[in-house]
Each structure stands twice: as C-alpha cells, then as structure tokens.
C-alpha cells in the first residue's frame, strides 16, 4: 500500500537484478584470482573416447570434423584441444574438415594454435595430418564425404596444395580408410551418426559443448555413439587422462561455484516468494 | 599485433557485458560490428567456395560444374518479376536433396536404432524400469486423437513431469554452457589487464 514501508521480504523480492549481476561478477573475479581446483570424476563417456584412440593401431586414420561455431569456442575448445593433443601423441593420420558452420574452419585453426606445439611440430603437414577445408552443405556434405573419395570433394586443401600431391591422401582416400570419427557438432547433432556411424559402422564420438548433452545422451545410451567429451568438464577429464593439465580444471571448478550460487539464488527466491505469500495472507486476515 | 587484438577483444567484452547494467550506443555499435563480421566472413567463405569448386575447375577445362553454377544463378531470378518462377527449381532441388539425405539417415538413427535399444533394455534394475515407465508416459502425452480417461490420464501427467524434468536438464545444460563461455572470456579479460 502507498505510504507503508516495504518489509525486508518485499525489498528482497524486488531487488534490482543488477545487484545480482554484481554479486555474480564479484564471485567470478574472486574465484579466478584465488585459484583452486575441485576434484573431478572421469565419466565413462570421456573414458570411452580415450580408450578408442588408445586402441587405434599405428597408421590408423581419424577424421576430425569441426562443425562448431567460433562463438562457443571457449566452451567447445577445451575438449577439442585435449583430444587433438591425444591424437598428436599417437602415430595416427588426422584428416581435419569443416562441414557444418563456415566458422568451423576458424575453430580448427584455433585448435591447432592451442594444442601443444611441441607435439604438433613433430608431425608433418600433408603426411601426418591435413586440413581439407570447408565443405558446404551440412548433412549433404557429410553424406558426400561418406561415399566419395576425398580428392574429388577437395581438389585443393585449405592451404591451396593440390590434394592428390600430398602423401597422406595415398593412405587415406575415402571413408573406407577411416577408423574413427570425431565430430564437434553445432545445431543438428546427428549428421555423422546418420551417414558414417549407422551405415558404415565407423565409431563416432562427439566433442561438444555442455548445452547439447541432453540431446546427445539418448544416442550414447543406445550405443550409437561411442563416447563424448562434453565442454570444459569433459576437457578437464580428458586432460587428466592424457596427463596434460590445462585451464579446463579451473574453469570446471569455477563453473561448480557459479552453479551453487545460482542454486542458492533460486532457493532464496522461492523461500522469499513463499514467505511473502504468508505475509500477504496475514495482512489480508487482519483487514 | 596480438596485443592490440587482445585489448580490442577485452574492450568489446566489457562493452557487451555493460548491457546488463545499461544499454549504451557502444553496445549497439558492437552488435552491428559482430553482425558485419559474421556476414563478411560468410561472404568470403562463400566466394572462396565458388571460386575453388566452380571457377577454377571450369577454367582448367572441367565443364561439369557449369550445370550447378547455372542452377545456382537461377536463384537470383527472385529479383525479377517476370522470371521469378525460375527460382523455384533450384530451391526445390535444394529442399529435395536435403530432405532425402536427412530422412534416409534419420529413420535408422533417430527412430529404429533408438527403439531397438529401448526394447533390448534389460529390466533388471530400478533405473531401467523408471526409464521405460517415463518413456511410455512421455509418449502418451502426445496422444491427441482421444482424451484418455482415468487411470490412463495419470500416465499423461507423469509424462508431463518427465518432459519438465528434461526441459529443466536442458536449461541447466545451457546455463553451464554459457557460464563456461563467460568464465573463459572473463579470465581472458583479467589476463589482458594483468590481474591474472
């Protein structure tokens, strides 16, 4: 009512949201400054990807598709970098391609920039790994890659080299030579499963952001997906597995703190709403 | 060069975050810049793709790309009143090919294999039993042809609760996705300012 002083509950219920933003940023700042890391558990999904790469024979080929958007690289980058580090540790042939987003190429370049450069320098471009480039068409592109030799789809690689002149293409000509598919999806997630996993029975694993976990989990539980490395937590788990600890562990720990803060805010909001109703009922009864 | 780029990126982050407190002209300007960069990048990739996949092969005597080039050019007939109808053919081809490719894989992956996996699920632990109950109840929520009477309507209520749990999980996942992005960018800004 006009003229009445607001109760504490009323003030809390109508608190300016900018106060909450300030609290969140202060907590974020403190969590970054006072570095800490909480223990994490390696989930079976990430372990499955690790085991699959470990069990590949020498000279096996892996196709790594960067279909994710550059805007989400902060979250999707850590698992990709961790897995790429693992690929570089092993004697494998790596085909890097972008079929979804045009910015997938930028993601691929960022991943190659952020991996351990000592490991990358031990590999030779064109012999151990190649960046084919962007193939437009999303699902049509993935379907074409499954049924067409790579040379026909990519006459030139991303750096302008004639693909047929690169030694790697003599060993990895088409999908028949690929042993594992690693996809960093964005948007519709099932392209590679539909055209490589189910018909060709090539194992498919995802390196993705946390946001897609609910949509992807049914495919993992049904056995269609080999495994997945999910966001910064997945990146932290994978870094533990390969023994190369990066920033993912700290990010994951801060995510836990932010999550707890969010839960605390939700609980407070619901408690305040409950007691406000009680207060209003009491005021109503007095009148 | 990297130093200038890092400072620009940090400044852009602060301007964008300032939207939480007050909308400024700088924020609007940055949004236009982001849109411009995204469109520009897409345009460059599109032009590079056309040049590398069409122009270059045609230049060396491979005439096969001429047909898709002509079909692609028909899309521009949308700008003509008299020849607008020609644009329907390439659009029809794109929709047809995309749909055909999707449906071929979708039926096996999204439907058949998922149903087979559910049928094969062993009913020997509480988790699997709850899963099957929730699956059936969630599917019953989408029965619109007939209003289900009690006790079958309870299945729809359980199904709605299951769907709400899923949406809550989705929300939580999205929250953590954006939190992860924020944390990484915030750490980047702190490192640019020398705090970290």
């Amino acid at each position: 009512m006009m003229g009445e002083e607001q109760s504490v509950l009323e003030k809390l219920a109508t608190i300016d949201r900018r106060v909450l933003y300030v609290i969140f940023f202060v907590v974020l700042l403190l969590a970054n400054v006072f570095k800490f890391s909480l223990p994490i558990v390696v989930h079976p999904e990430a372990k499955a990807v690790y085991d699959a790469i470990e069990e590949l024979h020498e000279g096996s080929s892996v196709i790594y598709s960067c279909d994710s958007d550059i805007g989400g690289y902060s979250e999707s980058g850590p698992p990709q970098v961790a897995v790429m580090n693992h690929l570089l540790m092993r004697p494998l042939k790596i085909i890097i391609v972008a079929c979804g987003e045009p910015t997938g190429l930028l993601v691929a370049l960022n991943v190659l920039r952020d991996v351990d450069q000592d490991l990358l320098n031990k590999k030779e471009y064109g012999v151990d790994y190649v960046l084919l480039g962007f193939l437009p068409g999303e699902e049509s592109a993935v379907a074409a890659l499954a049924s067409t030799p790579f040379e026909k789809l990519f006459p030139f690689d991303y750096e302008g080299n004639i693909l047929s002149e690169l030694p790697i293409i003599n060993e990895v000509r088409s999908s028949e030579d690929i042993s594992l598919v690693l996809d960093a999806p964005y948007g519709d997630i099932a392209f590679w499963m539909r055209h490589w996993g189910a018909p060709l029975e090539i194992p498919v694993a995802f390196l993705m952001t946390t946001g897609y976990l609910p949509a992807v989990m049914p495919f993992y539980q049904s056995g269609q997906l080999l495994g997945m490395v999910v966001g910064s937590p997945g990146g932290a788990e994978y870094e533990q597995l390969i023994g190369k600890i990066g920033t993912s562990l700290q990010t994951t720990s801060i995510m836990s703190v932010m999550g707890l803060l969010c839960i605390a805010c939700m609980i407070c909001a619901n408690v305040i709403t409950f007691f406000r109703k009680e207060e209003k009922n009491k005021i109503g009864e007095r009148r | 060069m990297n130093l200038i780029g890092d400072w620009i990126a940090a400044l852009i982050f602060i301007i964008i975050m300032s939207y939480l407190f007050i909308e400024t002209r700088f924020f609007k300007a940055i949004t236009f810049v982001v849109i411009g960069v995204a469109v520009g990048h897409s345009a460059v990739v599109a032009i590079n793709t056309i040049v590398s996949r069409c122009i270059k092969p045609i230049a060396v005597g491979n005439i096969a790309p001429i047909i898709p080039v002509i079909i692609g050019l028909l899309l521009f007939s949308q700008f003509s009143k008299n020849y607008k109808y020609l644009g329907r053919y390439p659009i029809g081809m794109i929709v047809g090919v995309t749909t055909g490719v999707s449906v071929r894989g979708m039926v096996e992956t999204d439907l058949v294999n998922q149903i087979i996996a559910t049928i094969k699920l062993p009913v020997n632990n509480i988790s699997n039993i709850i899963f099957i109950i929730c699956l059936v109840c969630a599917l019953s929520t989408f029965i619109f042809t007939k209003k289900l009477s009690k006790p079958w309507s309870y299945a729809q209520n359980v199904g709605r609760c299951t769907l709400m749990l899923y949406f809550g999980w989705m929300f939580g996942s999205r929250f953590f996705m954006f939190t992860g992005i924020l944390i990484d960018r915030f750490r980047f800004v702190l490192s640019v300012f020398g705090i970290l």
Side-chain angles (χ1 to χ4, degrees):
Chain A
M1 292 259 316
M2 280 175 62
E4 279 185 16
E5 273 191 24
Q6 273 190 325
S7 67
V8 172
L9 283 177
E10 200 69 32
K11 284 181 187 172
L12 282 173
T14 53
I15 196 169
D16 192 337
R17 64 177 66 183
R18 287 175 289 190
V19 172
L20 292 173
Y21 295 147
V22 169
I23 293 170
F24 269 88
F25 277 113
V26 166
V27 169
L28 198 51
L29 175 66
L30 293 173
N32 272 293
V33 169
F34 298 107
K35 290 180 186 171
F36 66 99
S37 50
L38 299 170
I40 59 165
V41 172
V42 177
H43 286 88
E45 305 90 64
K47 187 74 171 52
V49 179
Y50 174 83
D51 290 339
I53 295 175
E54 276 293 300
E55 287 162 12
L56 288 173
H57 299 301
E58 184 178 336
S60 296
S61 307
V62 172
I63 192 162
Y64 169 49
S65 178
C66 279
D67 299 333
S68 56
D69 184 51
I70 190 70
Y73 182 72
S74 300
E75 168 73 351
S76 68
Q80 295 182 63
V81 170
V83 171
M84 182 57 87
N85 274 328
H86 191 198
L87 291 173
L88 294 171
M89 285 175 186
R90 304 243 31 247
L92 304 170
K93 306 287 180 188
I94 309 166
I95 308 288
I96 306 170
V97 69
C99 295
E101 292 283 320
T103 54
L105 269 181
L106 296 177
V107 172
L109 292 170
N110 274 1
V111 169
L112 289 173
R113 179 200 66 195
D114 291 339
V115 292
D116 188 337
Q117 294 300 307
D118 291 334
L119 288 174
L120 190 63
N121 292 336
K122 286 179 187 165
K123 302 286 183 179
E124 190 180 340
Y125 184 87
V127 176
D128 299 305
Y129 71 100
V130 66
L131 178 52
L132 293 181
F134 173 64
L135 185 64
E138 293 186 349
E139 188 162 3
S140 309
V142 173
L145 270 172
S147 54
T148 313
F150 300 146
E151 263 178 86
K152 284 199 173 174
L153 293 172
F154 294 96
F156 305 94
D157 72 348
Y158 175 72
E159 300 195 354
N161 306 308
I162 298 172
L163 198 65
S164 54
E165 292 178 3
L166 295 177
I168 191 172
I169 213 64
N170 294 330
E171 297 175 56
V172 193
R173 291 193 168 277
S174 67
S175 57
E176 289 175 359
D177 304 313
I178 299 291
S179 305
L180 177 66
V181 172
L182 296 168
D183 181 30
Y186 180 78
D188 197 335
I189 49 165
F191 297 160
W192 289 88
M193 277 189 295
R194 288 178 195 153
H195 302 286
W196 285 65
L200 304 179
E201 294 181 355
I202 297 173
V204 177
F206 282 165
L207 319 172
M208 61 197 204
T209 63
T210 323
Y212 294 115
L213 182 60
V216 171
M217 188 56 88
F219 294 105
Y220 172 73
Q221 287 177 331
S222 67
Q224 295 192 82
L225 197 58
L226 169 76
M228 46 194 175
V229 188
V230 183
S232 294
E237 292 168 26
Y238 213 88
E239 285 169 2
Q240 278 202 339
L241 286 170
I242 62 173
K244 281 192 168 299
I245 305 297
T247 56
S248 297
L249 190 57
Q250 197 199 356
T251 304
T252 307
S253 304
I254 299 172
M255 278 167 82
S256 301
V257 171
M258 299 299 285
L260 287 170
L261 183 60
C262 187
I263 290 168
C265 288
M266 282 185 200
I267 292 171
C268 285
N270 280 283
V271 166
I272 290 166
T273 306
F274 176 77
F275 282 109
R276 267 182 84 201
K277 274 187 188 170
E278 291 281 312
E279 205 177 67
K280 279 183 182 171
N281 288 340
K282 280 181 190 168
I283 292 169
E285 277 169 16
R286 269 188 237 142
R287 289 196 190 126
Chain B
M1 191 64 194
N2 271 345
L3 193 62
I4 297 171
D6 287 351
W7 274 95
I8 291 172
L11 198 60
I12 287 173
F13 175 83
I14 291 168
I15 291 171
I16 289 176
M17 286 291 119
S18 70
Y19 179 72
L20 294 173
F21 299 93
I22 186 166
E23 189 176 353
T24 60
R25 285 180 198 174
F26 297 110
F27 172 78
K28 284 183 186 168
I30 294 297
T31 53
F32 296 144
V33 167
V34 167
I35 293 167
V37 166
V39 171
H41 180 263
S42 298
V44 166
V45 170
I47 290 167
N48 275 346
T49 305
I50 292 168
V51 167
S52 63
R53 292 184 183 282
C54 299
I55 309 297
K56 277 185 182 173
I58 293 172
V60 295
N62 180 6
I63 60 169
I66 287 178
I67 298 168
V69 167
I70 292 169
I71 294 171
L73 287 172
L74 285 176
L75 280 168
F76 290 100
S77 65
Q78 298 290 315
F79 298 113
S80 161
K81 267 188 187 174
N82 296 330
Y83 299 106
K84 208 171 181 177
Y85 67 93
L86 289 173
R88 290 186 201 144
Y89 299 111
I91 292 171
M93 286 180 72
I94 291 167
V95 170
V97 167
T98 311
T99 308
V101 165
S102 299
V103 166
R104 185 190 75 176
M106 200 185 286
V107 171
E108 186 175 3
T109 314
D110 294 33
L111 277 174
V112 174
N113 288 349
Q114 292 295 114
I115 293 170
I116 290 172
T118 307
I119 291 169
K120 282 183 177 175
L121 204 60
V123 191
N124 55 6
N125 64 56
I126 190 74
S127 175
N128 290 352
I129 294 168
I130 292 173
F131 173 82
I132 291 169
I133 291 170
C134 288
L135 173 69
V136 171
C137 292
L139 287 171
S140 72
T141 311
F142 297 100
I143 295 174
F144 302 119
T145 49
K146 187 185 169 188
K147 187 168 178 168
L148 295 180
S149 56
K150 289 180 183 177
W152 307 115
S153 59
Y154 292 129
Q156 287 190 325
N157 290 335
V158 172
R160 279 192 203 101
C161 292
T162 307
L163 290 173
M164 282 184 210
L165 283 169
Y166 176 76
F167 296 142
W169 184 23
M170 261 177 58
F171 171 76
S173 299
R174 292 277 164 167
F175 168 80
F176 277 103
M177 179 178 83
F178 290 117
T179 305
I181 294 171
L182 174 66
I183 290 167
D184 185 81
R185 287 288 88 196
F186 195 74
R187 188 189 302 130
F188 166 78
V189 169
L190 292 179
S191 67
V192 167
F193 290 148
I195 298 171
L196 285 183

